[in-house]
Structure formats: structure tokens, C-alpha cells
Amino acid sequence: QVQLVESGGGLVQAGGSLRLSCAASGSISSSNVMGWYRQVPGKQRELVADITNVGRTHYADSVKGRFTISRDNAKNTVLLQMNSLKPEDTAVYYCASRPMGPYLPNYWGQGTQVTVSS
């Protein structure tokens, strides 16, 4: 079975940092794009950042310069370093995997809560 296991969520004050980790196991293709998404009540889930197997990255405008996504293919892990956190970053964050191309994610993690207090 494919499994994405997330860790690192929590409660921090504005200006603080968190690092989210996603450990992948099972039969996920090594060529899949890995990404982080977030969702708040009443709003649709949005892409935060993603990274290809060769290290190409995309970031939402709202997190550029503050968040960094990285990938360790040997360890099958994806990280999201979040710095200078703002209250508007508060959301449930999800790790996800999708094939290259115009595809929706086919695997999701369980989600981890990130709360940033003012």
C-alpha cells in the first residue's frame, strides 16, 4: 500500500518557524511530483509548493521567500521549511503525490494542523 506520513505540525507564534516532513512508502512512482497543499474552513484546498523528481519547484505567491520545499529521493522524504509564519498561514497542511502532467494528486497524507497565533 502507498502511504504518506506527515509530521511537524503544531502551534507557533507569528514570526516563528516550522518544518513539515512527509515520508513516503509503498509503490509511488519515483517520477511523481510531490507537493504540499493547505486548506482552511470555508475555502478550497490550495497548492502551497511542489517539487519534481529533478528538483523543479513551484510556490504559491503568498509563501514565496518564506517557505522552501525540498526532496530527498534516497530517503523518500519531502520537507517544507516554513519561516516567518503569519496568522494567515494557519491551515491543515497535506502532503500529496501526483504524476507528471495535467493530473490531480493520486495520493494524500492524513493532514497536519498548523496554527500561527498573533
Side-chain angles (χ1 to χ4, degrees):
Q1 297 90 330
V2 172
Q3 188 175 25
L4 303 177
V5 180
E6 300 162 329
S7 61
L11 193 157
V12 298
Q13 293 182 330
S17 298
L18 284 174
R19 186 175 69 176
L20 304 183
S21 298
C22 175
S25 62
S27 300
I28 296 177
S29 172
S30 61
S31 64
N32 270 23
V33 178
M34 303 297 298
W36 290 94
Y37 297 72
R38 66 186 182 187
Q39 187 171 29
V40 299
K43 299 181 67 176
Q44 70 178 54
R45 193 170 300 181
E46 66 175 354
L47 175 68
V48 176
D50 61 22
I51 184 169
T52 72
N53 65 327
V54 295
R56 294 188 179 93
T57 59
H58 293 268
Y59 295 94
D61 288 342
S62 59
V63 306
K64 286 181 179 177
R66 299 188 297 119
F67 291 10
T68 302
I69 189 170
S70 60
R71 180 173 185 165
D72 187 333
N73 292 325
K75 297 182 179 179
N76 295 316
T77 59
V78 183
L79 305 177
L80 184 68
Q81 179 66 46
M82 305 185 294
N83 298 325
S84 301
L85 283 163
K86 304 175 180 180
E88 50 263 45
D89 295 318
T90 295
V92 177
Y93 284 70
Y94 298 89
C95 179
S97 175
R98 64 172 176 85
M100 288 288 293
Y103 300 101
L104 296 173
N106 52 357
Y107 302 107
W108 292 92
Q110 76 281 3
T112 184
Q113 177 70 45
V114 172
T115 302
V116 184
S117 62
S118 60

